[in-house]
Amino acid sequence: MNIILLGPPGAGKGTQAQRLVDLHHLRQLSTGDMLRAAVKAGTPVGIEAKAVMDRGELVSDAIVSALIGEELDATPETGAIFDGYPRTAAQAASLDDILTQRGRKLDHVIELEVDEDALVERITGRYTCASCGKGYHDRFEQPREPGVCDRCGSTEFKRRPDDNEETVRTRMAEYRAKTAPVLPIYEARGIVSRVDGMAEMDVVTASIEAILGQ
Ligand code: AP5
């Protein structure tokens, strides 16, 4: 199974992708996570991407499509959840080529529909465990024991440098201008389903599960 999760920044793509990994043994392919790893490692890709990401703009299509191809080849037998990719029509065309070359196809494109006004609060309240990467939120998803990660017990947490209001507004504008036009490409193929991303996280997961079970 190969699935795309589409939606603006903060829609819940990463949250739901992590849950689908656990439920279906799929692999989460997040171009945002790949780029942040490249920035942290100081690779040439990371050096080029850092300033672009800090501004909230999109990294070049060639860079992200190359990352996706490499990651798919690392685990060729495992189904994929594409989280944050494709983000432009050119990336959608590249993904078609990448999948065709590997004898794979897209099964579902799931759009998380959200109210943009709520997204700034979601994103600016978000943080992750510095050790295992589990996601939390100041208001919506706190650790059971304050200051201790539920999953690994670490007491170190971190926030993303692009999770400030100004950058979030640029990321939303990029989504509207460049990523929203990707949806009609998949609508024409009849593989798009929509989910209310404003519902409780468990309800969103149940809605996605219902789509995948069809
Ligand atoms: P990326 O890392 O992909 O960021 P994004 O798309 O802006 O998405 P987010 O990770 O911010 O949001 P999300 O939808 O995953 O939400 P989450 O589940 O965390 O990209 C970062 C940057 O990298 C880009 O700006 C760009 O520069 C570059 N980049 C990446 N991919 C690229 C590409 N393909 N091409 C070019 N450039 C690329 O949820 C957010 C918060 O809300 C969490 O705290 C969560 O707990 C909470 N939450 C989630 N669901 C709910 C719910 N239902 N109710 C209440 N709270 C909820």
Side-chain angles (χ1 to χ4, degrees):
M1 189 153 57
N2 297 295
I3 306 163
I4 294 174
L5 292 181
L6 257 179
K13 303 180 296 293
T15 301
Q16 296 302 326
Q18 283 190 9
R19 291 170 173 220
L20 295 177
V21 165
D22 293 340
L23 289 166
H24 295 281
H25 308 293
L26 299 169
R27 177 131 188 256
Q28 176 186 7
L29 295 183
S30 158
T31 39
D33 287 349
M34 292 172 204
L35 290 167
R36 280 184 287 280
V39 169
K40 193 173 172 195
T43 64
V45 163
I47 291 165
E48 186 176 335
K50 184 175 184 337
V52 180
M53 294 172 78
D54 285 349
R55 289 197 300 272
E57 296 168 5
L58 294 186
V59 174
S60 84
D61 292 332
I63 285 180
V64 290
S65 293
L67 289 172
I68 284 286
E70 283 166 21
E71 288 298 322
L72 272 178
D73 289 341
T75 49
E77 305 299 325
T78 312
I81 307 162
F82 297 98
D83 162 10
Y85 179 90
R87 258 176 156 97
T88 64
Q91 291 179 24
S94 293
L95 181 59
D96 284 344
D97 292 342
I98 288 167
L99 291 175
T100 305
Q101 285 159 9
R102 290 158 179 81
R104 298 171 73 145
K105 71 171 181 63
L106 274 177
D107 299 288
H108 298 278
V109 176
I110 298 175
E111 183 192 11
L112 297 172
E113 291 186 301
V114 281
D115 169 4
E116 273 202 15
D117 291 339
L119 297 184
V120 173
E121 184 191 10
R122 274 198 190 178
I123 292 178
T124 54
R126 165 173 71 179
Y127 60 99
T128 53
C129 171
S131 178
C132 73
K134 177 163 174 24
Y136 294 98
H137 192 278
D138 292 328
R139 203 174 135 208
F140 303 122
E141 195 178 14
Q142 296 159 359
R144 285 190 292 274
E145 186 182 339
V148 181
C149 177
D150 296 344
R151 190 195 275 163
C152 75
S154 168
T155 54
E156 300 290 323
F157 297 88
K158 61 181 182 182
R159 290 179 192 259
R160 278 170 42 180
D162 60 341
D163 279 354
N164 59 78
E165 181 163 353
E166 187 188 348
T167 308
V168 169
R169 300 254 176 231
T170 305
R171 284 158 59 194
M172 285 177 185
E174 289 281 83
Y175 180 83
R176 280 192 298 270
K178 297 174 184 165
T179 308
V182 170
L183 267 167
I185 296 171
Y186 296 120
E187 272 165 350
R189 300 181 197 175
I191 56 171
V192 175
S193 303
R194 294 195 161 79
V195 165
D196 176 11
M198 297 309 296
E200 298 263 327
M201 289 181 210
D202 290 348
V203 175
V204 177
T205 307
S207 302
I208 294 174
E209 286 291 275
I211 292 163
L212 300 185
Q214 282 168 6

